[in-house]
Amino acid sequence: MDPAGPLSTTAHPPIGVASVAGPDKPLIFDATLDTKISAVVGGRTAQALAKAFDMETVGDLLSHYPRRYARRGELTALDELPRGESVTIVAEVLSVSERSMKSKRGSIVEVKISDGNGILTLTFFNQKWRAEALRRGMRGIFAGKVTDYRGALQLAHPDYELFADDADAPPRDSDAQRRWVEAPIPIYPATATMPSWKIAKTVALVLDGLGPLPDPLPGALRAERTLLTQRDAFEKIHRPTADGDWRAARDTLKFTEAFVLQCALVLQHNAARARETRPRVPTRGGFLDHFDSTLPFELTGDQQQVGSEIARDLAESGPMNRLVQGEVGSGKTVVALRAMLAVADSGGQSALLAPTEVLAAQHLRSIVRMLGPDRAAELMPTLLTGQLPTAERKKALLRTVSGQALIVIGTHALLSDTVHFFDLGLVVVDEQHRFGVEQREALRLKGAQPPHVLVLTATPIPRTIAMTVFGDLDVSTIAELPAGRQGIESFVVPLAEKPAWSMRVWTRLAEELAQGRQAFVVCSAISPKVREPGEEAPSAEGDDVKTPPTTVEGLLAELRVKPELASARIEPLHGRMSSDEKDVTMRAFAAGDIDILVATTVIEVGVDVPNASAMVVMDADRFGVSQLHQLRGRVGRGEIPGLCLLVTTASADSLARERVDAVASTLDGFELAQADLTLRREGDVLGGEQSGAKSSLRLLRVATDGELITQARAHAQELIGDDPDLSSIPPLAAAVRRRLDESERSWLRKG
């Protein structure tokens, strides 16, 4: 019998079960968390789990926790089922009927099931025996994709498991019957080929074949927090007999997850600091001193504080690994440039990795401007991007490998095997959320010695995410804005309720232009079928994003014929333009030769045009909270107040609208980051590109488990301070290694 076996307690197996085969008892006993699943339940079941959930080991399977628990006595609210999605529900059979098909030979069995209010139809084609297997009054778990057929909800060819028939009758004793009815039934994240009960049967086989399981938590810590052993926790979360079982198991496994992750991050941090590198100390009267003495403004208190932290790190023999997070326009580039000048004073080179060619080119111009012509000639800041002409690229490569260029600024082209440095002392990664950890590591390996690493982000990060995603980095924060910055007024333009306001948007934009100012108009797509490279797809979080997006090409044509904008100079900017075209356009906009830039999110970060006072974001509901905050930061950068109009067709009660409203309500990026954390689905909070498998949290929730993460971090630091290689707790060392191996597997799969 297959572990996923004929589970519907019928004479015939549910559809799809025969595709997964295996024994009715484990193939081996004394399995460990590192044992391959195939060794316990057979190859076909293991292949199905690998295909559906990317599982390889027993530990992977046992960490696939139930998403909720059902009971034999409960029913699912059918009127809340989402159309077009696969569901697992508990319901009761109301009626069973069979009829012949009209257009061809064969029959249809229709089974009506209900939650006591709504009705759902199960449809089976040419399976007459289902009429005998499913009888009125039976209750069970049904799984399939919800469709709408002629106004009625249905599941076509669903899988199911019935709770009771002659082979699975409830106990006759009333107390035992009550316990049987109330016993929690695990409902797992599932797929069409691996429904919940197949997973449950396979998990049960693995638990039966599991050998002794050494506990990764120190005994004293487990006792202090009154937690279960890991073996008991796995048993009770997958096979609970009462609600108290899975709750206690969840508490244990959640803390264990946080503790193992924090141990891994602390060990990575310590290992990075333990490497030997060359200290980089500025020389008296050198590049840094000259730069500071000629600055036309005074650094903010936060800039000075973060600058001191960086200087302290650079002076040590262990490489710096520091994340600087700062509000939009808080002056992170100046802080990073001061670090580059300290490295240049020691003869070392710095590489600045930017996410787009527009931003890389702007960094080059702003750095040259801040240095002045004399210092720029000595340091020779050099641009290296993928679209450079061959002659320019060869010149840039030569300057880099010879050490002539002490500051090299580029895009992903910096990661190429053809790029070599003479003495790479500092790696600066701008807008970390646009890069994976792999890219950061690839650039770091280009140094003869481990270079210092400075990571910048203008996306404020809640502390819990900083500890889970960037836990191997020291974190600095610049929250203070430079003096003289004007505020930005943000307004939602709700076209679902106020369609006439669409006219006012362009009149308001014309009023800004009449005062000699400039404006951005942002679209989510270039043309009807082309999004910007790297652009987010429309959200699938229940948002009512149904209408086609406003496009750069379509809106450009529309704006050019609007009477109120008749005299405006309007040009596009997007990722399909060549590097030279984008550079020419941005230079013209910065020079005031373009009034309105109709762009995609290529202008999201780093673009600095003080005369740009207004921004209109079309289809604002198609962007995330942090992305809207970044976009808005392109205006209000000088002495002119900023205006941001967030145009949306999302309904007032939708999640998409909540995000737009949140952005309009505050300019505080850290407050928005916390709101984003609360609004977004947990799986999207960290993002795999930022952190590899570290984003694959099982039970831990950074939105709600901040205190738990903080406590786990403190325990991890204390333990590793006394036992740097975890030699006293081999099971914990193995769990940390398993966690890091999972990260490595994830990176390899992405390649």
Side-chain angles (χ1 to χ4, degrees):
M1 175 178 159
D2 187 327
L7 305 177
S8 61
T9 65
T10 69
H12 301 270
I15 297 300
V17 171
S19 64
V20 183
D24 58 355
K25 58 184 178 181
L27 294 173
I28 65 168
F29 290 89
D30 294 330
T32 71
L33 296 182
D34 295 318
T35 300
K36 296 293 184 183
I37 297 174
S38 57
V40 186
V41 301
R44 292 178 66 187
T45 299
Q47 288 174 9
L49 289 169
K51 184 176 181 180
F53 305 108
D54 210 17
M55 295 179 186
E56 294 183 12
T57 67
V58 164
D60 293 338
L61 176 61
L62 294 182
S63 296
H64 187 75
Y65 303 120
R67 60 182 175 85
R68 68 181 180 91
Y69 294 88
R71 287 180 174 76
R72 290 172 174 83
E74 88 173 11
L75 298 173
T76 301
L78 298 184
D79 59 352
E80 297 175 5
L81 294 180
R83 273 67 166 173
E85 293 187 20
S86 296
V87 298
T88 301
I89 61 173
V90 178
E92 179 177 329
V93 175
L94 288 184
S95 65
V96 182
S97 62
E98 181 185 354
R99 60 183 173 83
S100 298
M101 287 190 254
K102 295 179 180 179
S103 58
K104 54 184 177 180
R105 295 180 61 185
S107 64
I108 299 175
V109 173
E110 290 186 338
V111 180
K112 305 286 187 183
I113 62 173
S114 175
D115 61 349
N117 294 311
I119 295 176
L120 185 67
T121 302
L122 313 181
T123 305
F124 301 94
F125 296 93
N126 294 320
Q127 295 181 22
K128 300 180 69 169
W129 55 271
R130 297 288 185 185
E132 291 297 322
L134 292 160
R135 299 187 298 277
R136 178 182 174 85
M138 286 183 166
R139 289 188 176 189
I141 306 176
F142 302 85
K145 186 174 182 178
V146 180
T147 57
D148 195 330
Y149 180 68
R150 295 182 177 177
L153 296 181
Q154 74 166 6
L155 301 181
H157 283 259
D159 266 331
Y160 58 86
E161 181 183 30
L162 299 176
F163 290 148
D165 70 354
D166 294 340
D168 185 25
R172 294 183 180 278
D173 175 77
S174 59
D175 288 340
Q177 182 173 352
R178 177 180 52 79
R179 289 193 298 272
W180 180 85
V181 169
E182 294 181 355
I185 300 169
I187 304 295
Y188 291 89
T191 68
T193 56
M194 287 298 294
S196 177
W197 52 86
K198 291 183 184 179
I199 298 170
K201 293 289 185 179
T202 307
V203 167
L205 273 181
V206 167
L207 286 173
D208 289 343
L210 195 61
L213 200 60
D215 205 293
L217 292 182
L221 179 59
R222 188 173 68 249
E224 176 188 334
R225 301 187 69 92
T226 60
L227 301 175
L228 305 173
T229 65
Q230 191 174 41
R231 183 67 172 82
D232 284 347
F234 278 138
E235 182 69 36
K236 290 184 176 182
I237 202 164
H238 291 295
R239 296 196 287 202
T241 58
D243 286 341
D245 287 348
W246 64 259
R247 290 193 175 112
R250 182 187 58 189
D251 291 344
T252 295
L253 293 167
K254 182 185 289 187
F255 181 79
T256 302
E257 180 179 9
F259 182 66
V260 170
L261 175 58
Q262 293 304 323
C263 283
L265 291 170
V266 171
L267 286 172
Q268 284 183 325
H269 180 270
N270 291 353
R273 296 294 293 176
R275 298 186 184 114
E276 286 290 328
T277 194
R278 180 180 172 183
R280 304 287 180 168
V281 181
T283 56
R284 186 178 299 275
F287 292 120
L288 181 56
D289 279 355
H290 181 271
F291 178 77
D292 286 345
S293 67
T294 57
L295 264 181
F297 54 84
E298 185 175 344
L299 296 174
T300 66
D302 282 355
Q303 286 175 317
Q304 294 177 37
Q305 173 65 32
V306 173
S308 297
E309 293 168 352
I310 292 171
R312 185 176 64 246
D313 287 350
L314 291 175
E316 294 182 3
S317 58
M320 171 176 69
N321 285 279
R322 183 168 292 277
L323 168 71
V324 174
Q325 60 171 338
E327 277 285 14
V328 174
S330 61
K332 296 180 297 300
T333 303
V334 173
V335 170
L337 179 56
R338 293 184 72 251
M340 295 183 214
L341 296 177
V343 172
D345 273 339
S346 68
Q349 296 169 284
S350 296
L352 194 165
L353 179 62
T356 67
E357 293 190 348
V358 169
L359 183 53
Q362 176 144 324
H363 272 314
L364 178 69
R365 288 194 294 271
S366 63
I367 286 174
V368 168
R369 185 178 65 249
M370 285 189 285
L371 290 175
D374 294 339
R375 288 295 178 264
E378 292 181 76
L379 291 158
M380 199 170 289
T382 296
L383 184 67
L384 187 54
T385 67
Q387 293 192 25
L388 279 181
T390 302
E392 289 295 317
R393 180 176 175 81
K394 286 182 178 178
K395 188 184 298 183
L397 290 172
L398 182 59
R399 287 178 177 175
T400 302
V401 73
S402 66
Q404 189 179 18
L406 293 176
I407 297 176
V408 182
I409 304 159
T411 56
H412 287 78
L414 288 178
L415 309 178
S416 169
D417 292 339
T418 62
V419 178
H420 302 281
F421 291 83
F422 181 75
D423 179 17
L424 182 59
L426 173 66
V427 170
V428 180
V429 181
D430 194 17
E431 294 308 323
Q432 164 66 21
H433 69 287
R434 296 290 196 91
F435 297 101
V437 284
E438 303 96 316
Q439 283 96 357
R440 192 172 84 200
E441 183 70 5
L443 192 51
R444 188 186 69 78
L445 292 174
K446 289 183 178 290
Q449 293 178 304
H452 300 277
V453 176
L454 183 63
V455 175
L456 308 178
T457 179
T459 303
I461 303 166
R463 185 165 179 262
T464 49
I465 291 186
M467 285 190 294
T468 49
V469 180
F470 302 111
D472 55 338
L473 302 175
D474 298 306
V475 180
S476 297
T477 300
I478 304 177
E480 188 179 357
L481 294 178
R485 284 292 175 92
Q486 297 297 313
I488 305 172
E489 287 190 298
S490 301
F491 300 96
V492 176
V493 181
L495 298 186
E497 302 107 83
K498 310 274 188 181
W501 284 18
S502 61
M503 304 287 290
R504 175 59 181 153
V505 169
W506 310 117
T507 306
R508 185 67 184 87
L509 207 62
E511 292 169 359
E512 289 293 309
L513 301 188
Q515 299 181 63
R517 300 170 183 173
Q518 295 163 273
F520 297 99
V521 178
V522 181
C523 302
S524 63
I526 303 170
S527 61
K529 293 186 179 180
V530 180
R531 290 199 306 270
E532 181 67 40
E535 177 62 51
E536 296 178 3
S539 173
E541 301 179 12
D543 300 353
D544 51 354
V545 179
K546 298 174 183 176
T547 58
T550 305
T551 67
V552 170
E553 293 177 354
L555 189 61
L556 189 67
E558 181 183 334
L559 295 185
R560 282 175 171 166
V561 297
K562 283 189 176 295
E564 59 267 45
L565 300 175
S567 61
R569 297 162 295 177
I570 309 174
E571 296 295 337
L573 182 69
H574 55 72
R576 282 202 320 215
M577 297 165 61
S578 71
S579 180
D580 286 344
E581 288 173 328
K582 286 185 285 190
D583 191 52
V584 167
T585 300
M586 275 310 305
R587 285 177 180 271
F589 188 65
D593 297 331
I594 297 173
D595 298 312
I596 300 176
L597 207 56
V598 182
T600 56
T601 53
V602 293
I603 57 98
E604 179 183 346
V605 290
V607 174
D608 189 1
V609 180
N611 191 50
S613 64
M615 171 174 288
V616 177
V617 183
M618 305 302 296
D619 306 312
D621 44 280
R622 292 178 179 265
F623 301 94
V625 169
S626 62
Q627 196 172 33
L628 288 174
H629 183 55
Q630 288 277 357
L631 288 167
R632 176 175 57 184
R634 299 311 104 211
V635 298
R637 299 183 70 84
E639 298 178 357
I640 302 171
L643 171 70
C644 181
L645 302 179
L646 303 170
V647 182
T648 175
T649 56
S651 60
D653 58 352
S654 66
L655 182 59
R657 178 65 174 277
E658 277 192 70
R659 291 201 304 268
V660 178
D661 289 342
V663 174
S665 69
T666 182
L667 292 174
D668 188 328
F670 291 91
E671 183 181 330
L672 283 175
Q674 191 60 48
D676 194 21
L677 189 60
T678 304
L679 288 171
R680 296 178 72 178
R681 285 183 175 178
E682 186 67 29
D684 300 326
V685 166
L686 301 180
E689 288 195 4
Q690 291 184 52
S691 57
K694 293 184 187 117
S695 65
S696 302
L697 302 181
R698 310 290 187 178
L699 294 172
L700 200 62
R701 296 293 176 259
V702 292
T704 55
D705 294 328
E707 184 60 31
L708 185 72
I709 293 170
T710 301
Q711 294 169 4
R713 180 76 170 188
H715 285 301
Q717 289 173 327
E718 180 182 1
L719 175 65
I720 292 172
D722 296 333
D723 184 4
D725 57 1
L726 301 178
S727 58
S728 64
I729 313 176
L732 176 58
V736 168
R737 184 178 63 253
R738 198 176 297 115
R739 182 68 178 182
L740 296 177
D741 286 347
E742 180 184 347
S743 299
E744 184 177 349
R745 290 207 312 266
S746 173
W747 297 352
L748 290 173
R749 283 191 293 269
K750 281 200 277 181

